[in-house]
């Protein structure tokens, strides 16, 4: 039951984009088409899950064990960048079709602060809800996957709205980025309605 609560919280209540404002650059940049939003959402889910596992192990068995927790941010940045490069190389060799499908999304993930933010949150155990058991690797992975699903959900919903806005008669001064920011703000306000769920 606690994993379901963590997942609902990460997807709807504490959505990484709409309530924590992490990953805004790709959120605005990749959301012009639904197909690119789906690709970015899938790539973020894959890398975020992998990065959370690796950074959790580094946090608990290296940084905490040797008392060098102050190195967390720089270590996590290096790990995430290396991980994305390694995944890119492996996909290029093992599955060229998947590599072509992900295309530009893998390098974009290296600079996505959502990945680093979730890795730090899981490393510190700050994602756990009150009254639940101690943070563990499994609950951290559940949180990471749910956060990635929440990110993808927000990205796809936003891209659907942006495609619809292209067909609407929007005032000239509001076209492009202004209406996109206004729409994102309204989406964030709508997601506040989920705050009573958990």
């Amino acid at each position: 039951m606690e994993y379901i609560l963590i997942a609902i919280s990460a997807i709807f209540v504490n959505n990484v984009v709409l309530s924590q404002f992490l990953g805004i650059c790709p959120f605005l940049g990749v959301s012009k088409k639904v197909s690119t939003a789906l690709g970015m959402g899938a790539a973020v889910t894959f890398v975020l899950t992998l990065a959370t596992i690796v950074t959790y192990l580094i946090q608990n068995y290296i940084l905490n064990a040797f008392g060098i927790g102050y190195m967390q941010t720089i270590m996590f940045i290096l790990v995430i960048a290396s991980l994305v490069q390694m995944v890119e190389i492996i996909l290029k060799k093992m599955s060229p079709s998947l590599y072509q499908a992900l295309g530009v999304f893998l390098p974009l993930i290296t600079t996505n602060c959502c990945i680093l933010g979730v890795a730090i949150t899981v490393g510190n155990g700050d994602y756990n809800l009150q009254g639940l058991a101690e943070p563990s690797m499994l609950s951290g992975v559940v949180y990471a996957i749910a956060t990635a699903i929440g990110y993808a959900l927000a990205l796809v919903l936003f891209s659907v709205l942006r495609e619809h806005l292209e067909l609407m008669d929007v005032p000239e001064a509001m076209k492009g980025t202004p209406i996109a920011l206004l729409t994102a703000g309204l989406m964030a306000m709508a997601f506040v309605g989920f705050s009573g769920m958990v």
Side-chain angles (χ1 to χ4, degrees):
M1 185 65 176
E2 72 182 69
Y3 299 124
I4 294 171
L5 291 175
I6 289 172
I8 289 171
S9 174
I11 294 170
F12 298 110
V13 179
N14 297 319
N15 188 286
V16 72
V17 177
L18 300 174
S19 70
Q20 297 178 24
F21 306 113
L22 295 174
I24 294 291
C25 293
F27 179 71
L28 292 173
V30 184
S31 61
K32 291 182 180 173
K33 289 184 180 177
V34 175
S35 58
T36 56
L38 285 170
M40 184 65 164
V44 165
T45 303
F46 180 70
V47 172
L48 185 57
T49 305
L50 207 55
T52 300
I53 293 169
V54 173
T55 55
Y56 180 88
L57 294 173
I58 287 172
Q59 178 74 38
N60 287 297
Y61 297 108
I62 297 174
L63 299 179
N64 291 347
F66 293 105
I68 52 173
Y70 59 88
M71 297 286 292
Q72 181 188 51
T73 303
I74 192 73
M75 283 293 291
F76 284 11
I77 290 171
L78 290 172
V79 165
I80 291 166
S82 302
L83 199 58
V84 169
Q85 289 300 314
M86 184 182 72
V87 166
E88 194 171 354
I89 291 168
I90 290 171
L91 282 178
K92 198 173 191 177
K93 291 274 187 193
M94 303 296 260
S95 179
S97 60
L98 182 59
Y99 175 76
Q100 290 291 336
L102 291 176
V104 73
F105 301 122
L106 276 175
L108 277 177
I109 291 172
T110 306
T111 59
N112 190 341
C113 61
C114 166
I115 308 290
L116 179 62
V118 171
I120 289 174
T121 302
V122 170
N124 294 339
D126 295 338
Y127 61 92
N128 217 357
L129 303 171
Q130 288 182 344
L132 297 182
E134 282 293 310
S136 65
M137 186 166 161
L138 181 58
S139 63
V141 170
V142 168
Y143 175 76
I145 292 170
T147 299
I149 291 170
Y151 181 84
L153 175 69
L155 194 61
V156 169
L157 288 175
F158 190 55
S159 65
V160 167
L161 291 172
R162 284 188 78 175
E163 281 187 359
H164 187 69
L165 284 171
E166 291 295 321
L167 304 174
M168 302 297 293
D169 186 24
V170 177
E172 194 63 36
M174 292 296 290
K175 285 187 178 178
T177 305
I179 194 71
L181 291 173
L182 185 65
T183 305
L186 291 172
M187 276 184 65
M189 288 172 53
F191 269 66
V192 168
F194 292 116
S195 61
M197 289 178 63
V198 179

